[in-house]
Amino acid sequence: MLAVDEKSQIRPLTAPSRGCRLKKGRCGTMTHDYKRNGTTTLFAALNMLDGTVIGECMPRHRHREFLRFLKTIDERTQPNLDLHLIVDNYATHKTPAVKTPGSSGIRAFTCTSRPLPARGSTWSSASLPRITRKRIRRGVFKSVDELEQAIMDYLDKHNGHPKPYVWTKTAAEIFSKVARAKQALESQH
């Protein structure tokens, strides 16, 4: 089972002067006169069994790029396994080409939209904010290529010591929560 998500519009910012450095008792600062150097989108898939992440950066965030990422997942996973993907309800995941992956040359898989397991719904719930906080936010990157290399280095470091996702609820507890949420939605309409 893979939890798939994306982080779009990541910008490599170049600050001409860094501002004050972090010290005990003083917050870090950045100057307001930075230069934007383009954007990238990180597509990531967390293998919930072993904790490894398949990641790829692409220049845009459309269903075409998502399909390319699905092909990457297909290539990097064992061909004899069925793929089960947990995705959010983003529009790129709902296009006909994505919903019928067999026609795109990608091995058939099952897509489940949120709210399946709470923390495992996407890698972003914990790790995408962490990559922003620990690697991207205070970094100074002169180009998109430099930013993408830093992201891939971070993923390689993560995959060097992966931590598998540990389920804390039983399947019955998860399905009862989903049923309650479904019932609440139906009662609102």
Side-chain angles (χ1 to χ4, degrees), residues 155-169:
L155 294 180
D156 289 343
K157 184 177 177 183
H158 169 86
N159 286 338
H161 304 285
K163 293 181 181 156
Y165 180 76
V166 179
W167 297 96
T168 57
K169 295 192 181 280

PDB file of all heavy atoms in Angstrom, residues 155-169:
ATOM      1  N   LEU A 155      15.306  12.871   0.345  1.00  0.00           N
ATOM      2  CA  LEU A 155      14.594  11.596   0.202  1.00  0.00           C
ATOM      3  C   LEU A 155      15.556  10.420   0.313  1.00  0.00           C
ATOM      4  O   LEU A 155      15.230   9.406   0.937  1.00  0.00           O
ATOM      5  CB  LEU A 155      13.830  11.539  -1.121  1.00  0.00           C
ATOM      6  CG  LEU A 155      12.677  12.525  -1.279  1.00  0.00           C
ATOM      7  CD1 LEU A 155      12.007  12.346  -2.631  1.00  0.00           C
ATOM      8  CD2 LEU A 155      11.670  12.389  -0.156  1.00  0.00           C
ATOM      9  N   ASP A 156      16.746  10.547  -0.285  1.00  0.00           N
ATOM     10  CA  ASP A 156      17.751   9.475  -0.167  1.00  0.00           C
ATOM     11  C   ASP A 156      18.145   9.258   1.287  1.00  0.00           C
ATOM     12  O   ASP A 156      18.285   8.126   1.744  1.00  0.00           O
ATOM     13  CB  ASP A 156      18.998   9.805  -1.002  1.00  0.00           C
ATOM     14  CG  ASP A 156      18.746   9.703  -2.498  1.00  0.00           C
ATOM     15  OD1 ASP A 156      17.738   9.069  -2.906  1.00  0.00           O
ATOM     16  OD2 ASP A 156      19.549  10.271  -3.263  1.00  0.00           O
ATOM     17  N   LYS A 157      18.333  10.362   2.013  1.00  0.00           N
ATOM     18  CA  LYS A 157      18.678  10.259   3.440  1.00  0.00           C
ATOM     19  C   LYS A 157      17.541   9.586   4.215  1.00  0.00           C
ATOM     20  O   LYS A 157      17.780   8.725   5.055  1.00  0.00           O
ATOM     21  CB  LYS A 157      18.964  11.651   4.001  1.00  0.00           C
ATOM     22  CG  LYS A 157      19.430  11.653   5.427  1.00  0.00           C
ATOM     23  CD  LYS A 157      19.752  13.063   5.893  1.00  0.00           C
ATOM     24  CE  LYS A 157      20.148  13.045   7.353  1.00  0.00           C
ATOM     25  NZ  LYS A 157      20.397  14.397   7.854  1.00  0.00           N
ATOM     26  N   HIS A 158      16.294   9.976   3.900  1.00  0.00           N
ATOM     27  CA  HIS A 158      15.138   9.355   4.549  1.00  0.00           C
ATOM     28  C   HIS A 158      15.105   7.852   4.254  1.00  0.00           C
ATOM     29  O   HIS A 158      14.874   7.041   5.151  1.00  0.00           O
ATOM     30  CB  HIS A 158      13.839  10.003   4.061  1.00  0.00           C
ATOM     31  CG  HIS A 158      12.612   9.256   4.485  1.00  0.00           C
ATOM     32  ND1 HIS A 158      12.004   9.452   5.701  1.00  0.00           N
ATOM     33  CD2 HIS A 158      11.902   8.277   3.867  1.00  0.00           C
ATOM     34  CE1 HIS A 158      10.974   8.639   5.807  1.00  0.00           C
ATOM     35  NE2 HIS A 158      10.889   7.920   4.710  1.00  0.00           N
ATOM     36  N   ASN A 159      15.332   7.484   2.997  1.00  0.00           N
ATOM     37  CA  ASN A 159      15.266   6.075   2.603  1.00  0.00           C
ATOM     38  C   ASN A 159      16.428   5.258   3.160  1.00  0.00           C
ATOM     39  O   ASN A 159      16.363   4.037   3.198  1.00  0.00           O
ATOM     40  CB  ASN A 159      15.198   5.945   1.082  1.00  0.00           C
ATOM     41  CG  ASN A 159      13.833   6.332   0.545  1.00  0.00           C
ATOM     42  OD1 ASN A 159      12.833   6.304   1.256  1.00  0.00           O
ATOM     43  ND2 ASN A 159      13.791   6.727  -0.713  1.00  0.00           N
ATOM     44  N   GLY A 160      17.487   5.921   3.614  1.00  0.00           N
ATOM     45  CA  GLY A 160      18.594   5.231   4.264  1.00  0.00           C
ATOM     46  C   GLY A 160      18.199   4.664   5.621  1.00  0.00           C
ATOM     47  O   GLY A 160      18.769   3.673   6.080  1.00  0.00           O
ATOM     48  N   HIS A 161      17.235   5.302   6.277  1.00  0.00           N
ATOM     49  CA  HIS A 161      16.756   4.859   7.591  1.00  0.00           C
ATOM     50  C   HIS A 161      15.234   4.997   7.641  1.00  0.00           C
ATOM     51  O   HIS A 161      14.701   5.782   8.433  1.00  0.00           O
ATOM     52  CB  HIS A 161      17.392   5.691   8.711  1.00  0.00           C
ATOM     53  CG  HIS A 161      18.883   5.669   8.693  1.00  0.00           C
ATOM     54  ND1 HIS A 161      19.618   4.584   9.106  1.00  0.00           N
ATOM     55  CD2 HIS A 161      19.784   6.588   8.280  1.00  0.00           C
ATOM     56  CE1 HIS A 161      20.900   4.840   8.959  1.00  0.00           C
ATOM     57  NE2 HIS A 161      21.030   6.060   8.456  1.00  0.00           N
ATOM     58  N   PRO A 162      14.512   4.237   6.808  1.00  0.00           N
ATOM     59  CA  PRO A 162      13.054   4.397   6.773  1.00  0.00           C
ATOM     60  C   PRO A 162      12.391   3.817   8.020  1.00  0.00           C
ATOM     61  O   PRO A 162      12.947   2.938   8.678  1.00  0.00           O
ATOM     62  CB  PRO A 162      12.648   3.603   5.532  1.00  0.00           C
ATOM     63  CG  PRO A 162      13.691   2.545   5.421  1.00  0.00           C
ATOM     64  CD  PRO A 162      14.972   3.200   5.900  1.00  0.00           C
ATOM     65  N   LYS A 163      11.238   4.360   8.333  1.00  0.00           N
ATOM     66  CA  LYS A 163      10.449   3.843   9.454  1.00  0.00           C
ATOM     67  C   LYS A 163       9.083   3.459   8.916  1.00  0.00           C
ATOM     68  O   LYS A 163       8.358   4.308   8.381  1.00  0.00           O
ATOM     69  CB  LYS A 163      10.307   4.911  10.535  1.00  0.00           C
ATOM     70  CG  LYS A 163      11.623   5.236  11.189  1.00  0.00           C
ATOM     71  CD  LYS A 163      11.475   6.276  12.259  1.00  0.00           C
ATOM     72  CE  LYS A 163      12.850   6.559  12.827  1.00  0.00           C
ATOM     73  NZ  LYS A 163      12.964   7.842  13.430  1.00  0.00           N
ATOM     74  N   PRO A 164       8.718   2.178   9.022  1.00  0.00           N
ATOM     75  CA  PRO A 164       7.418   1.757   8.503  1.00  0.00           C
ATOM     76  C   PRO A 164       6.265   2.385   9.268  1.00  0.00           C
ATOM     77  O   PRO A 164       6.400   2.738  10.442  1.00  0.00           O
ATOM     78  CB  PRO A 164       7.418   0.237   8.680  1.00  0.00           C
ATOM     79  CG  PRO A 164       8.600  -0.097   9.496  1.00  0.00           C
ATOM     80  CD  PRO A 164       9.474   1.099   9.597  1.00  0.00           C
ATOM     81  N   TYR A 165       5.152   2.525   8.573  1.00  0.00           N
ATOM     82  CA  TYR A 165       3.955   3.049   9.205  1.00  0.00           C
ATOM     83  C   TYR A 165       3.390   1.966  10.120  1.00  0.00           C
ATOM     84  O   TYR A 165       3.262   0.813   9.722  1.00  0.00           O
ATOM     85  CB  TYR A 165       2.919   3.444   8.147  1.00  0.00           C
ATOM     86  CG  TYR A 165       1.663   3.983   8.763  1.00  0.00           C
ATOM     87  CD1 TYR A 165       1.626   5.265   9.281  1.00  0.00           C
ATOM     88  CD2 TYR A 165       0.521   3.204   8.860  1.00  0.00           C
ATOM     89  CE1 TYR A 165       0.483   5.770   9.874  1.00  0.00           C
ATOM     90  CE2 TYR A 165      -0.626   3.702   9.446  1.00  0.00           C
ATOM     91  CZ  TYR A 165      -0.637   4.980   9.945  1.00  0.00           C
ATOM     92  OH  TYR A 165      -1.758   5.465  10.533  1.00  0.00           O
ATOM     93  N   VAL A 166       3.073   2.335  11.353  1.00  0.00           N
ATOM     94  CA  VAL A 166       2.522   1.381  12.312  1.00  0.00           C
ATOM     95  C   VAL A 166       1.050   1.720  12.526  1.00  0.00           C
ATOM     96  O   VAL A 166       0.719   2.824  12.964  1.00  0.00           O
ATOM     97  CB  VAL A 166       3.287   1.436  13.661  1.00  0.00           C
ATOM     98  CG1 VAL A 166       2.687   0.461  14.655  1.00  0.00           C
ATOM     99  CG2 VAL A 166       4.761   1.143  13.434  1.00  0.00           C
ATOM    100  N   TRP A 167       0.185   0.776  12.185  1.00  0.00           N
ATOM    101  CA  TRP A 167      -1.251   0.971  12.366  1.00  0.00           C
ATOM    102  C   TRP A 167      -1.569   0.943  13.848  1.00  0.00           C
ATOM    103  O   TRP A 167      -1.149   0.046  14.565  1.00  0.00           O
ATOM    104  CB  TRP A 167      -2.022  -0.136  11.654  1.00  0.00           C
ATOM    105  CG  TRP A 167      -1.821  -0.120  10.185  1.00  0.00           C
ATOM    106  CD1 TRP A 167      -0.923  -0.859   9.474  1.00  0.00           C
ATOM    107  CD2 TRP A 167      -2.504   0.690   9.240  1.00  0.00           C
ATOM    108  NE1 TRP A 167      -1.011  -0.561   8.148  1.00  0.00           N
ATOM    109  CE2 TRP A 167      -1.970   0.381   7.966  1.00  0.00           C
ATOM    110  CE3 TRP A 167      -3.504   1.646   9.333  1.00  0.00           C
ATOM    111  CZ2 TRP A 167      -2.422   0.995   6.816  1.00  0.00           C
ATOM    112  CZ3 TRP A 167      -3.948   2.247   8.170  1.00  0.00           C
ATOM    113  CH2 TRP A 167      -3.406   1.924   6.933  1.00  0.00           C
ATOM    114  N   THR A 168      -2.309   1.923  14.331  1.00  0.00           N
ATOM    115  CA  THR A 168      -2.667   1.962  15.744  1.00  0.00           C
ATOM    116  C   THR A 168      -4.129   1.585  15.968  1.00  0.00           C
ATOM    117  O   THR A 168      -4.536   1.392  17.095  1.00  0.00           O
ATOM    118  CB  THR A 168      -2.415   3.360  16.335  1.00  0.00           C
ATOM    119  OG1 THR A 168      -3.155   4.324  15.579  1.00  0.00           O
ATOM    120  CG2 THR A 168      -0.935   3.696  16.288  1.00  0.00           C
ATOM    121  N   LYS A 169      -4.896   1.508  14.909  1.00  0.00           N
ATOM    122  CA  LYS A 169      -6.300   1.131  15.026  1.00  0.00           C
ATOM    123  C   LYS A 169      -6.544  -0.150  14.259  1.00  0.00           C
ATOM    124  O   LYS A 169      -5.860  -0.448  13.284  1.00  0.00           O
ATOM    125  CB  LYS A 169      -7.199   2.238  14.474  1.00  0.00           C
ATOM    126  CG  LYS A 169      -7.114   3.522  15.263  1.00  0.00           C
ATOM    127  CD  LYS A 169      -8.221   4.460  14.860  1.00  0.00           C
ATOM    128  CE  LYS A 169      -8.150   5.751  15.620  1.00  0.00           C
ATOM    129  NZ  LYS A 169      -8.691   5.707  16.927  1.00  0.00           N
TER     130      LYS A 169
END
